[in-house]
Amino acid sequence: MTFNDILKESWLSISGNKIRSFLTILGIIIGVMAVVIMMSVGDAVQKQITDQFSALGTNTIMIRAGASQSAGVRTFAGMQTLTIQDAEAIGSLPDVEYITPLRTMGVMVIAGNRNWGTTAAAAYPAYQYIQNIEMERGAFFDNQAVRNASTYVVLGPTVSKELELGADPVGQVIRLNGVPLVVIGVTKEKGGAGMSNSDDMIFLPITTLQKRINSSRFPNSVPQIVLKLRAGADNALAVEQITQLLRERHRLKDDARDDFQITDMKQVMDTMNTVTGFLKMLLMAIASVSLLVGSIGIMNMMLVSVAERTREIGIRKAIGARESHITIQFLSESVVISFMGSLIGFILGLVLSQTVLPSVMDMSVPLSVWSVVLSIAVALVVGVASGVMPARKAAKLNPIDALRYE
């Protein structure tokens, strides 16, 4: 028999019992569709996390005041263990390109009869380059503004829109805790990538916040220091140098715990990629259960088909059909069923992952090449695996017993 003859015979056998064939194919459709969707979900989550950390930069290091928690207790809780002078000392290290002390806080800003709750980031001008912030209008504040504690503020586009400051907010005045601040710039829309949404933030010199708006007994103390390493720098070596420098500056004994926490974004990103990799494997394993059920359905259908066609098999063998011919015939039917289900399941999974998932998850869903490879692999592997036992059973039938079968 030629390849076309085999396909024709397989189609005639499958179409001979439409309802049973449809239900069997439906099992494969659901299984493949589930796998494709789960793969898309895993890829989308991994891409979202990667984009967030990439926006902040894998060569970014964050230092927080206070030691890490131990048995639910945070050592040095509430103590001002980092200072602006610490930041300037770290900035002298050879691998540090940009550095800034940072204080963030939730604030209510007022412009005219409008008010908006947002987040204020008080820092040095280097914060613009560490966070990859671009300007739409005006300019970011400079070092002179930091030295003079100038009442300048830079707005994210969301804040400018909510305060209804018009097309050009530069030069207008907003109030923060009763203190008037002059808008000197508006950032470009960036979206919610990164550790926070920079579109819904305001930026001002850290000295302005600490001396004019939120007076403190410790104006040089900061809760956080953020820095960006030069291209090609060794993150692990930089963390080691920073740790040694801060311990010396804070005069910590050898057996004393660090009174600060260092977060290496590259290490965090690697860890998150590992976690999302396991998440994708878990989702795939869950979806594969339905695929396994579908393959069992094919095997069940083929075993029933062998039982129903026992006499036909006997006639074929009586007129000269070899065992290999019978095996190929039943295997081809199994593969055709699996291929049809895999193709339809892949198309449905692709459509749902590219149309429904983006709106449900509120994120872009990448198209995975592995989905195509998987669909072809499933069609072959599941089809052959499910059809081997029924095909061998059919091929081993004794033609005399098969002819006498009623």
Side-chain angles (χ1 to χ4, degrees):
M1 296 177 66
T2 64
F3 180 73
N4 289 335
D5 292 333
I6 294 173
L7 289 181
K8 184 177 179 181
E9 287 288 332
S10 299
W11 176 251
L12 289 174
S13 176
I14 294 170
S15 59
N17 196 323
K18 294 182 176 60
I19 295 179
R20 186 173 66 191
S21 299
F22 169 75
L23 293 176
T24 305
I25 293 173
L26 184 61
I28 297 298
I29 291 175
I30 294 173
V32 173
M33 183 175 65
V35 170
V36 171
I37 291 176
M38 290 300 183
M39 285 184 65
S40 299
V41 170
D43 289 340
V45 171
Q46 189 170 43
K47 181 178 182 297
Q48 181 79 353
I49 293 174
T50 301
D51 289 347
Q52 287 181 351
F53 283 103
S54 296
L56 186 59
T58 55
N59 57 345
T60 301
I61 294 176
M62 306 171 72
I63 311 168
R64 291 183 174 86
S68 58
Q69 287 187 355
S70 177
V73 178
R74 182 182 293 277
T75 313
F76 309 106
M79 293 185 64
Q80 307 292 326
T81 58
L82 291 177
T83 65
I84 290 177
Q85 288 73 27
D86 286 335
E88 292 173 351
I90 295 171
S92 64
L93 293 175
D95 287 334
V96 177
E97 184 174 15
Y98 299 108
I99 190 166
T100 177
L102 176 65
R103 181 180 292 275
T104 59
M105 58 185 295
V107 296
M108 180 68 69
V109 290
I110 302 172
N113 62 351
R114 299 283 297 177
N115 60 75
W116 181 251
T118 185
T119 301
Y124 280 179
Y127 189 73
Q128 176 185 4
Y129 305 106
I130 294 174
Q131 289 283 355
N132 300 317
I133 296 173
E134 298 181 15
M135 301 303 297
E136 181 69 32
R137 292 183 178 275
F140 211 77
F141 55 85
D142 55 18
N143 288 318
Q144 183 177 353
V146 174
R147 287 193 298 269
N148 298 335
S150 301
T151 52
Y152 294 155
V153 66
V154 176
L155 306 182
T158 300
V159 179
S160 177
K161 178 182 177 182
E162 294 297 335
L163 293 179
E164 298 182 354
L165 297 180
D168 189 5
V170 176
Q172 298 190 46
V173 177
I174 68 170
R175 289 185 175 275
L176 176 58
N177 287 0
V179 178
L181 301 173
V182 179
V183 178
I184 62 170
V186 179
T187 64
K188 281 187 178 181
E189 187 173 350
K190 189 177 180 181
M195 300 303 290
S196 60
N197 185 356
S198 62
D199 291 352
D200 191 8
M201 294 180 70
I202 64 172
F203 311 94
L204 65 159
I206 190 168
T207 50
T208 304
L209 179 69
Q210 306 218 132
K211 294 179 180 180
R212 297 181 183 272
I213 298 173
N214 191 25
S215 298
S216 170
R217 291 184 303 163
F218 310 100
N220 288 328
S221 297
V222 291
Q224 189 174 350
I225 297 172
V226 183
L227 61 95
K228 186 174 185 178
L229 300 176
R230 302 183 188 280
D234 186 335
N235 286 42
L237 178 60
V239 169
E240 184 179 339
Q241 292 174 344
I242 294 168
T243 301
Q244 182 178 354
L245 176 61
L246 288 178
R247 288 186 64 87
E248 290 175 357
R249 286 185 56 83
H250 296 182
R251 298 176 182 176
L252 298 177
K253 296 181 179 180
D254 292 341
D255 58 346
R257 296 179 60 192
D258 295 338
D259 59 354
F260 53 87
Q261 304 169 65
I262 300 179
T263 303
D264 178 4
M265 299 310 296
K266 183 177 184 299
Q267 184 178 5
V268 173
M269 183 175 176
D270 291 342
T271 302
M272 291 304 299
N273 282 334
T274 302
V275 172
T276 53
F278 282 119
L279 174 64
K280 286 173 65 176
M281 291 177 62
L282 176 62
L283 293 175
M284 285 285 293
I286 294 172
S288 297
V289 172
S290 58
L291 198 56
L292 176 63
V293 173
S295 65
I296 293 174
I298 294 179
M299 185 181 297
N300 180 63
M301 175 184 170
M302 296 308 300
L303 286 172
V304 172
S305 179
V306 169
E308 291 178 344
R309 297 161 62 186
T310 301
R311 190 173 182 83
E312 174 192 330
I313 296 169
I315 294 173
R316 287 175 179 267
K317 298 189 75 172
I319 60 177
R322 295 194 295 270
E323 289 187 2
S324 60
H325 294 155
I326 304 298
T327 301
I328 290 173
Q329 181 61 48
F330 279 87
L331 270 180
S332 66
E333 292 179 19
S334 178
V335 170
V336 168
I337 291 173
S338 179
F339 181 80
M340 291 171 63
S342 299
L343 180 62
I344 298 172
F346 168 71
I347 294 173
L348 290 176
L350 185 63
V351 171
L352 290 175
S353 65
Q354 297 300 309
T355 57
V356 178
L357 282 184
S359 58
V360 173
M361 301 177 64
D362 193 25
M363 65 176 70
S364 61
V365 178
L367 176 60
S368 175
V369 178
W370 286 106
S371 299
V372 182
V373 176
L374 179 68
S375 299
I376 297 173
V378 166
L380 294 175
V381 175
V382 173
V384 172
S386 303
V388 165
M389 188 171 72
R392 287 181 61 83
K393 180 180 179 180
K396 294 297 182 181
L397 283 176
N398 188 307
I400 298 176
D401 294 335
L403 288 171
R404 292 160 60 183
Y405 182 83
E406 293 293 341

